[in-house]
Amino acid sequence: MARRDVEFDAEGVTLRGWFYGAEGASGAAPTVVMAHGFSAVKEMYLDRYAETFAAAGLNALVFDNRNFGASDGEPRQEIDPWAQVRDYRHAITHALTLPEVDGDRIGVWGSSYSGGHVLVVAAIDRRVKAVVAQVPLVSGHDNFRALVRADFIDGFRALFDADRLARHGGAEPGMVPVVDKDPLAPSALPTPDSYTWFTDTHELRAPSWRNEVTLRSVEMFTEYEPISYVPYISPTPLLLMPAQNDVLTPTDLAIAAYERAREPKRLQILPGGHFDAYVDGFDASGPAARDWFVQHLAP
């Protein structure tokens, strides 16, 4: 399978990733643009999805989010969801310059945090002709309150405010672990399955992943509401795939967002929890996404 390294400009920041050529293509082919979720890097199983797409005759452009992995950007380990949305659009623009890419057949795929991003991108960028959102974050406000006890929220707000004041005075950004073995300890993703998946995947496949993000990344997460864009995705075909027992981006929130989408759309419930889609449940998540893109992007 042909894979090459790529890099492209995103308003002065160089983003880097992989381009997978569509197998069997004799000319310009449909292309899926992909990036990972909250703090994750492309080596954390995105290759499995891209290989599945390429084997079905779809190109795949996979990139690391700015400030993470192989991509440039400062401050390192800071996640601005709106910058990441814009970078999806920069990646689409770059794809359109490649001779292997049919610019009229672009799809976007995202998972977890980027599952929210692709909902926004599909609603505002009509170059997108099909979208797959896997275990998506749909409401930062509601998701934060599902993860953080009500009596802890004021403490978080105090940390956000202190960090804002410190940064104003020239201090380095405050940092917080992405995951912690103790789900009651301060971390961005305080669920046991988050700790297990990130630490195991870091050791197995992704040495560049770092267990920290800026504190402001968590604050921006609480402000981000992809659900408000969901009604505007139509008439772009939407496949939304929540996990049956997702305790990180809760299943009921994703299904409620799906109810706000208009046709054409499809809901597919994946087995297990949030992270099962990448490993044990890949046989459900990967082929379903592949088939959706083939159906709606292939001639």
Side-chain angles (χ1 to χ4, degrees), residues 219-274:
E219 184 178 29
M220 288 189 281
F221 166 92
T222 71
E223 303 164 353
Y224 184 45
E225 295 295 314
I227 192 170
S228 61
Y229 288 84
V230 167
Y232 313 133
I233 295 171
S234 176
T236 303
L238 164 66
L239 172 62
L240 195 145
M241 296 194 290
Q244 186 171 12
N245 185 32
D246 196 325
V247 297
L248 183 62
T249 56
T251 311
D252 62 320
L253 298 182
I255 293 174
Y258 177 80
E259 294 301 322
R260 295 180 61 171
R262 300 179 180 133
E263 297 290 346
K265 62 179 181 177
R266 182 180 167 206
L267 182 72
Q268 177 157 332
I269 309 294
L270 299 176
H274 186 85

Side-chain angles (χ1 to χ4, degrees), residues 5-285:
D5 293 339
V6 293
E7 62 178 49
F8 55 94
D9 176 68
E11 295 178 335
V13 173
T14 299
L15 304 183
R16 297 182 179 87
W18 301 318
F19 183 85
Y20 288 76
E23 290 189 13
S26 56
T31 301
V32 180
V33 174
M34 312 167 55
H36 222 317
F38 194 94
S39 89
V41 294
K42 63 187 183 299
E43 290 82 5
M44 291 172 139
Y45 296 104
L46 291 197
D47 51 326
R48 297 185 72 181
Y49 292 90
E51 289 166 2
T52 297
F53 300 157
L58 307 162
N59 299 314
L61 176 60
V62 184
F63 67 96
D64 274 331
N65 289 303
R66 66 172 59 213
N67 308 337
F68 289 86
S71 290
D72 291 348
E74 298 288 341
R76 299 305 289 175
Q77 304 300 114
E78 179 150 289
I79 306 169
D80 179 339
W82 288 106
Q84 293 187 349
V85 165
R86 287 192 296 273
D87 288 343
Y88 259 94
R89 303 183 77 184
H90 293 313
I92 292 169
T93 300
H94 174 67
L96 299 185
T97 70
L98 303 176
E100 301 97 328
V101 172
D102 182 341
D104 292 325
R105 295 185 288 163
I106 299 290
V108 289
W109 177 99
S111 187
S112 196
Y113 211 29
S114 68
H117 300 343
V118 295
L119 297 174
V120 178
V121 172
I124 62 180
D125 196 325
R126 289 300 160 194
R127 297 176 298 179
V128 174
K129 299 302 191 291
V131 53
V132 174
Q134 173 178 290
V135 294
L137 174 281
V138 297
S139 168
H141 180 276
D142 291 343
N143 213 125
F144 184 62
R145 282 153 182 79
L147 291 175
V148 177
R149 274 175 36 179
D151 56 329
F152 288 1
I153 288 177
D154 280 349
F156 263 107
R157 286 191 178 130
L159 291 173
F160 298 153
D161 293 344
D163 180 61
R164 189 178 294 278
L165 192 60
R167 288 173 75 142
H168 178 71
E172 290 294 309
M175 307 298 288
V176 64
V178 178
V179 293
D180 193 284
K181 191 170 186 178
D182 178 3
L184 295 179
S187 70
L189 306 178
T191 67
D193 61 337
S194 299
Y195 176 80
T196 299
W197 185 83
F198 274 102
T199 54
D200 287 355
T201 309
H202 168 55
E203 292 177 6
L204 285 170
R205 336 174 98 237
S208 69
W209 177 78
R210 288 165 51 188
N211 187 20
E212 61 176 2
V213 291
T214 64
L215 192 59
R216 186 161 70 177
S217 301
V218 182
E219 184 178 29
M220 288 189 281
F221 166 92
T222 71
E223 303 164 353
Y224 184 45
E225 295 295 314
I227 192 170
S228 61
Y229 288 84
V230 167
Y232 313 133
I233 295 171
S234 176
T236 303
L238 164 66
L239 172 62
L240 195 145
M241 296 194 290
Q244 186 171 12
N245 185 32
D246 196 325
V247 297
L248 183 62
T249 56
T251 311
D252 62 320
L253 298 182
I255 293 174
Y258 177 80
E259 294 301 322
R260 295 180 61 171
R262 300 179 180 133
E263 297 290 346
K265 62 179 181 177
R266 182 180 167 206
L267 182 72
Q268 177 157 332
I269 309 294
L270 299 176
H274 186 85
F275 296 98
D276 288 315
Y278 304 107
V279 192
D280 294 340
F282 179 79
D283 287 345
S285 65

